[in-house]
Amino acid sequence: MSDDMKDELAEILGEFLAESLDMLQEAEGLLVELEGLSEQGGEPFKKALDSIFRLFHSIKGSSGFLELHHLAALTHEAESFLDRFRTDGAALSPEAVDVLCQATDVVGAVLSVVSRELGDGVCGPMVQAMVERLRDADKLASGPEPEPNPAQSPPDVGGAAALPEPEPPQAEQAHQEEVDKAPQAPANPAPAAPEPTGRGEAVAAGPVAEATARVSLGKLDALMNLVGELIIAEAAVTHHKELEGLALDGFQKASTHLERITRELQDVAMSMRMVPVRQTFRRLLRVVRDTARQVGKEVELTVTGEDTEMDKSVVEALVDPLMHIIRNAIDHGLESPQGRLDAGKPIKGTVHLEALHQGGEVWIRVSDDGHGLDRGRILAKARERGVLRGEGDQLNDHEVYNLIFKPGFSTASTITSISGRGVGLDVVRNNLERLGGSVDVDSEPGQGTVFTLRIPLTLAIIEGMLVRVGTSKYIVPLLSVRETLRVSPGSVTLLPGGQELVHIRGRSFPLLRLYQLHNLAPDHRDVHDGLILVVEHSAQRYCLFIDEVVGQFQTVIKSLGQYLHDIEGLSGCTILSTGEIGLILDMSALSRCGQQRTERQRLALGA
Amino acid sequence: MSELIEPAQHNKYLTFVLDDVSYGLSIGHVVEIIGIQPVTPVPHTPGFICGVINLRGQVIPVMDVRIRFGMSKRRYDERTCIIVSQVGDTRLGLVVDTVSEVLDIEPGQIEAIDQGEPAGVETCLAGIGNIEGQVKLLLDAQRLVSRQGWLGHG
């Protein structure tokens, strides 16, 4: 095939693959709900079955005229199997749902191959094996019924491919027509061999979708970058030094107008990247189901806030941490069925997934109604693993529970094949912090545990407080700032270990002198001469000693580049309207830095 | 590296000076040359990293090559230049005393050298060029920008 033809094929397949993967994810989510729905029966169950059927049917239609014969055969077989329950009224067993889940896995695998090879020729054996499994399950489901019509086998596949199928645009139109039609009963009960195109099989349509366009994430990224640059450039123009002191009413009005348009542009660009968490939560349903089966517990996953929207790339990055936490909750958090009965709890454990907007962040909570965290056991393990020195008596419960995130806490004995492939909660925390977010855990002994993930709404722009120490300027994420104040002389105590505490209204907080941490020459060295910034990170408060607060701005985050991207304590930089570069402080790393520095001092003093 | 250098650019080196010693950097790695400008220091970096600069909206890290090679720090003046280099995905500015000319140095005029102890100049050298009696120390750009050089610099 010539390169041009290859490119064209890749483009067509690209569209198909993107849509099919979306549909597959939806189908998977529905499949997991199916078991629960089948107990109730009635309309919801029917609707779910119809939706899943429609999804497989779509993929089948497209794969037919794209000459992906194996994929067409597989989806066709899955359709037939689904019809046993959809139209023949057979009872849906957990085993049947298992087989359907496997089928979606194989479809996913084939799609992967297609994206690499631009064809599914090599998928023969894999597809054949799955088709066999579907047929076996089909026989079980239908019981003593006549053998499936032989005409439904290979010739059918050929039939699907040889259909007088029009070019893609027309088929898409057909799909659209389906979606636009009001819900109708299936016109064609039995999946007869030479099937007409999608138009014939009218299936119950979902809610009418609003007009959408498919845009590559790359383009959205580029757009966000440009908008970021625009904001910086706009500030450089409207706040140019050469304009200082000039009375420019007309210019002022024009700048304000420009500023307003730029902000609106930014809002729209950001909103383009927002997707509801629903899809991601759906994938987690599958994880819950599989894990529960593996460890022999009964689990129900409830979800709230599915419509909460998040930046698409952030959502993607959360899948692994959430999977890990959920597996953890089911494997270790929930008691065994017997244990639950003994505790007077319902046999079915509950894992609750919640998403909500809070301030400029999205909060995702994973809670379970298991036995909760045991303070004593955590302290013992922390001491054993060298994570904690001393007795830990001075730590409150919340601090003890959060020890489980320390590196080295989870080891081979706690990592089963379920909850980790050598992945610990410390990796989860690292991943979250790399996104500028945080995670912490809380618990009620005997009642359950809740993990809270906090992530900024967007990765590109933050509300920042610009502060100055000497000649250096830093950005502190506004979300972290609780208070700014001056303290009176004598408010600081130096502890024997080298750490400093500052006392504010009867409470004490660790004090970090930014100039010491960053080796700067500050205006002030006496705490009472400068400013104190009270900041909070992961529910822990500490104080930063700075010279001055310059202002509050919407800050476009720029990376420090390949060479400096991993400097501890910094999460990026920004270009100020003066052209200077402000470094953005990483609040989680900062508190760690402070602790480490104190440690080094202590060691140096031989204490 | 080969995709950056067109055939006509092979063997061309940008030469610059540190104290009285002349160095050469393959022009395939040179993006542009600018005069010294205000540098924003970045904490927790070795002494030879001056910080970052704002180059028309781009944030570029800057290395003081003298300090990298263990020489004394020199006051920046109007002849001090920053060579903006690109090695793979890494863009790095190199502060040098002054920039000289672009020279053609054939492979035949280059003597290979033994790699010496880490962190010194020797590890960053690709060879020694000899043009009409003038010696130019040719740099290995990859090694120069490698983060391995951070070890031992505290």
Side-chain angles (χ1 to χ4, degrees), chain A residues 229 472 474 517-518 520 558-570 573 575 579-583 593, chain B residues 40-45 48-49 51-54 57-63 89-92 144-147 150:
Chain A
E229 299 295 335
S472 297
Y474 296 94
L517 218 52
H518 290 176
L520 307 163
K558 288 183 86 80
S559 156
L560 280 164
Q562 182 70 5
Y563 195 69
L564 297 175
H565 70 276
D566 58 355
I567 301 293
E568 175 90 5
L570 299 176
C573 63
I575 297 187
E580 289 167 277
I581 297 175
L583 299 174
C593 274
Chain B
T40 304
V42 174
H44 308 304
T45 51
F48 58 77
I49 298 294
V52 286
I53 57 170
N54 171 7
Q58 249 190 86
V59 174
I60 300 182
V62 170
M63 170 195 283
D89 287 332
T90 304
R91 195 159 272 217
L92 181 62
L144 188 65
V145 309
S146 157
R147 288 277 297 248
W150 286 34

Side-chain angles (χ1 to χ4, degrees), chain B residues 33-37 74-82 96-99:
Chain B
I33 303 166
I34 56 177
I36 190 72
Q37 60 179 80
R74 182 174 169 275
R75 202 170 57 86
Y76 299 153
D77 58 29
E78 65 286 347
R79 297 175 71 209
T80 313
C81 292
I82 300 179
V96 299
D97 293 355
T98 187
V99 162

